[in-house]
Amino acid sequence: MSDPKKLAIKDFVYELPDERIAKFPLPERDQSKLLYYKNGTIADHTFTDLPQLLPANSLLVFNDTKVVQARLLFQKETGGVIEIFCLEPVKPHTEVQLAMQQTGHCTWKCLVGNNKRWKGGKLYLHFEGGTITAEREAQQEGHFLINFTWEPASLTFAEVLERCGRLPLPPYLNRDLSPDDRIRYQTIYANQEGAVAAPTAGLHFTDRVIEQLKANDISTAYLTLHVGAGTFKPVKAEVMEAHEMHAEQLYLTRDFIAQLLPQVEQNKPVIPVGTTSMRSLESLYWLGVKVLQQPELPKEQLHISQWFAYETTNLPSATIALTALLNYMANYNTDHLHASTQIMIAPGYSFRICKGLVTNFHQPESTLLLLVSALIGENWRTVYQHALQNNYRFLSYGDSSLLLP
């Protein structure tokens, strides 16, 4: 088994011409191409074929996070614009779900564009029926803590962002927002507000594809991982040991785990839609391992660190790990789990839950490409070469693949 810490990111390079990056979505979501990879062979399909291509008795797992309009453009009295990009909540809540329901005031970790022009004091942004005020509290490594207050104070932060924020498109699209993006940069099942990037593998699903899944006896389940801006974080380190993986917040219900458990027990395929769903499902196993090791672990400490999966021995089966999580929830008398994960899935990783993946095509030298390589090995090169030679569209608004190792 290769040691993921020693992986050199330069081994995960391919040539991605700018014209292959999909700058806009297709007119119809489910008309994107679907590259079907199974046991080393490749076939070209359309996304509407997915229900027929999935293994029998599969459980398809979706991430129902919803992208929030996290970019706020404040205009100074002198006319200059300061952009504040909300990354994650700090107080009074660090949990995204709670932070979105906060009224009147809050503090977030943010990126600030044109920061040098913000000499100090408060910034104001007026929106229909109200005003939001921003004040810098502190500068930390690579970001700022920004205190927000708003009127009317009865509005939730989610409502304020909805009224005056802008959607954060991926930086590599390199274009302004179009009216279409508000709808198309969300999955049709987006439900839990809090992501600053879309779980893009889900953008291809339409009502008719979901109906077809039912007709083909493919079960579906939903979890929530709030995708952070770290998903676009380039790997600057030469070896992965020196790269700090971004942490993301994960929410699960007892019902979800109860639905997953028999699937795992009976060794039926669990197929995540997107890398975020895959990271969530695999993190679930390691959370189970953690609570087996520490049954009294406080709920606030449910966190999977970057290398935990590679540094833990005497591992239980997935069934035992998931059962341990259900018992842990019963002990705490809760129906929900809130955890965070920094899991690094890279070549050398042994999958515990997932048996395949529905995903788009990712950037060279990215942690997402490492994850694909962990699943299908060196064949990722063949897959990507095929996609490049056959006019597949790449990245967030690009085409899709179904990878079955």
Side-chain angles (χ1 to χ4, degrees), residues 18-143:
D18 188 59
E19 65 270 15
R20 302 313 295 279
I21 298 172
K23 297 287 164 69
F24 292 90
L26 290 177
E28 289 188 66
R29 292 175 185 263
D30 58 16
Q31 292 308 298
S32 49
K33 291 186 177 194
L34 177 70
L35 183 149
Y36 177 52
Y37 167 91
K38 188 177 180 184
N39 304 335
T41 60
I42 293 173
D44 299 312
H45 286 269
T46 304
F47 196 80
T48 43
D49 299 338
L50 179 75
Q52 287 79 40
L53 297 172
L54 287 163
N57 304 315
S58 290
L59 172 66
L60 209 54
V61 179
F62 296 89
N63 180 4
D64 67 0
T65 187
K66 188 173 187 181
V67 185
V68 292
Q69 307 206 125
R71 293 171 58 217
L72 296 164
L73 302 182
F74 289 85
Q75 195 147 20
K76 299 192 323 180
E77 287 167 3
T78 54
V81 172
I82 308 288
E83 177 177 331
I84 298 181
F85 184 0
C86 302
L87 295 177
E88 59 184 83
V90 177
K91 59 190 182 201
H93 306 289
T94 54
E95 271 193 47
V96 173
Q97 316 280 75
L98 295 174
M100 281 292 156
Q101 296 312 307
Q102 174 63 21
T103 53
H105 66 94
C106 62
T107 303
W108 278 62
K109 223 186 245 189
C110 300
L111 298 176
V112 178
N114 265 348
N115 175 58
K116 287 192 173 69
R117 294 193 185 160
W118 186 2
K119 300 297 184 219
K122 295 179 177 178
L123 296 175
Y124 300 91
L125 173 57
H126 303 290
F127 56 89
E128 196 181 328
T131 303
I132 182 169
T133 307
E135 201 169 7
R136 269 182 313 208
E137 182 183 309
Q139 181 167 6
Q140 297 181 334
E141 194 185 328
H143 60 261

Side-chain angles (χ1 to χ4, degrees), residues 74 202 283 341 399:
F74 289 85
S283 296
T341 181
D399 292 315

Side-chain angles (χ1 to χ4, degrees), residues 171-284:
Y172 48 65
L173 289 185
N174 222 349
R175 66 169 173 82
D176 288 334
L177 270 175
S178 73
D180 216 19
D181 290 317
R182 273 190 74 139
I183 294 164
R184 294 302 301 277
Y185 195 60
Q186 297 281 16
T187 61
I188 62 165
Y189 47 81
N191 187 24
Q192 305 292 334
E193 292 177 303
V196 297
T200 55
L203 295 179
H204 309 278
F205 284 85
T206 54
D207 289 333
R208 69 177 158 190
V209 172
I210 288 174
E211 283 303 311
Q212 200 53 53
L213 290 171
K214 282 183 198 151
N216 284 44
D217 288 332
I218 303 291
S219 310
T220 52
Y222 295 85
L223 51 73
T224 307
L225 179 103
H226 290 308
V227 191
T231 191
F232 303 121
K233 185 179 171 184
V235 178
K236 300 239 171 90
E238 286 183 17
V239 291
M240 292 317 296
E241 194 167 19
H243 175 77
E244 190 189 359
M245 196 69 187
H246 56 289
E248 290 173 315
Q249 294 192 19
L250 170 61
Y251 291 82
L252 295 146
T253 61
R254 187 200 299 253
D255 288 349
F256 174 83
I257 301 172
Q259 189 180 356
L260 183 62
L261 190 53
Q263 191 78 9
V264 170
E265 273 175 332
Q266 294 160 34
N267 203 24
K268 292 177 181 173
V270 176
I271 314 270
V273 172
T275 56
T276 60
S277 300
M278 177 175 263
R279 293 182 71 215
S280 304
L281 285 163
E282 293 296 318
S283 296
L284 201 51

Side-chain angles (χ1 to χ4, degrees), residues 283-302:
S283 296
L284 201 51
Y285 170 82
W286 297 106
L287 287 168
V289 170
K290 210 159 199 182
V291 301
L292 280 167
Q293 292 173 347
Q294 306 171 59
E296 304 301 312
L297 185 74
K299 284 192 301 186
E300 299 68 46
Q301 290 175 30
L302 285 170

Side-chain angles (χ1 to χ4, degrees), residues 148-160:
F148 295 108
T149 51
W150 58 89
E151 290 291 336
S154 57
L155 291 175
T156 64
F157 194 52
E159 288 169 325
V160 171

